[in-house]
Amino acid sequence: MRNGFAKTDARLPAYARLRDTLTARIAAGDWTPVQPIPSEAQLAREFDVSIGTVRKAVDGLVSEGLLERRQGSGTYLRAPSFNATLFRFFPMRDSDGAPLSIPQSKMILRSRAKAPAEAAEALGTGKVIKIVRLRSLSDLPVLFEEIYIPRNRFAGFEVLPDVAFGPLLYPTYFEHFGVLVKRATDEVSFGRASDAVAHQLRIRTDDPLAVIRRTAFDVEDKPVEWRIASGSADGFRYRSEIN
Amino acid sequence: MRNGFAKTDARLPAYARLRDTLTARIAAGDWTPVQPIPSEAQLAREFDVSIGTVRKAVDGLVSEGLLERRQGSGTYLRAPSFNATLFRFFPMRDSDGAPLSIPQSKMILRSRAKAPAEAAEALGTGKVIKIVRLRSLSDLPVLFEEIYIPRNRFAGFEVLPDVAFGPLLYPTYFEHFGVLVKRATDEVSFGRASDAVAHQLRIRTDDPLAVIRRTAFDVEDKPVEWRIASGSADGFRYRSEIN
DNA sequence: TAGTGGTCTAGACCACCAC
DNA sequence: TGGTGGTCTAGACCACTAC
């Protein structure tokens, strides 16, 4: 065939097929955030469309947060574009407005496991790796997290050396497994601390708890992570923008 | 001047000035959702720009949710584009999956008032109208709301006849006061029921409470409403999409 | 200074809708 | 059938970045 589109629906308009082709290249890990992707003129030649059509395709990916334009320099992959640290659930400043100390993250467990029902339903598989973390502010534990990721996307995650992990998981997902988290859904509810959670959070059993369940999706809208996080309901707040 | 731009920064590109001019017309109530706005060709002539530039301006407003394109028919105002009923905070179906009965909304109070500190800070004025509502599912009260709206945007709201109100406030804001809510910020936290709230919700004093604070903004990003809503924490859940 | 993205033009043809 | 938005072209010039 004359053009270079990946296997996309030929009935779609050219800009949509180009957009899907570029998304596939991103998902395949063809590009990194440090080198610009091909220029608009190059893409126009490669796919035999006009620059205007390239711009429309790239516009879509920029508005999705996948790409980033830098005038005079080029267009770059934006990864991890997704900043959803659980610490936005708690105040980062004390009552005087002074910033609290740097958030800490302690990995408690990392091993193959069978996913609990909720996680298996969200991920579409029960074969997962389970991660347990405790996150703290000023040496006070504030959030207890259980995280499940599918083994077929994260083979070998459980044996990665500890130095591969920073305070955030999503950069690790991208750098070591090419998994780019693009969006997520959160669900906040109320519960009470079990013995185990209470012990980790240094609160009492049955104390009020804020519970956040999250499912995260990659650039192709496939679920790649399910997690449940718990913190004391006192001082908890969840901010959200609605459009 | 030759073109028809409203008072916009002449340093901005043409599409941005046109977008701002169209936003101002929307805010001024020049258009309704039932009649199309002028066609792209008409706008191009009126503002002495090309159709491509009109498309770029309209694209922005479409992606903001202010306008809606209908191929073959025209471009229409989308109002109220904002659907954020508080009932998404509670399950609308019982445990068997059967839908619960239609949500109800009872207005308890509607009068001029002095805004509490939080509301005054969010709205930038203390001169407000206070609205108190109780919202129910299957005749069970689930949400107690206190709402504050600035008097300078909603003059006469407190003396509107009851028939002017449906179950949702935002359509009333638009139809009677030309105020179009475009976005809002929510903050979820947990607390305990006061005597008054407990009585309204038919729960016990000090029972766990989910509290949602919301600030709503109009098309020009001016705050037009602040509300605080409370419901029993049991059965509460708040869903949110993160991008 | 060469190359990039940012803006803008003046058309063309197509798909769809309302009359 | 006429008018609308949807797609697409093949340029032009500008603003900015990197070297």
Side-chain angles (χ1 to χ4, degrees), chain A residues 39-40 55 69 71-72 74-75:
Chain A
S39 75
E40 299 181 342
R55 285 194 67 79
R69 285 199 168 101
Q71 184 176 162
T75 300

Side-chain angles (χ1 to χ4, degrees), chain B residues 40 55 69 71-72 74-75:
Chain B
E40 299 181 343
R55 285 193 67 80
R69 285 199 168 102
Q71 185 174 164
T75 299

Side-chain angles (χ1 to χ4, degrees), chain A residues 136-150:
Chain A
S136 306
L137 281 175
S138 303
D139 287 325
L140 280 174
V142 293
L143 210 58
F144 179 75
E145 295 180 307
E146 293 177 37
I147 303 169
Y148 301 89
I149 55 180

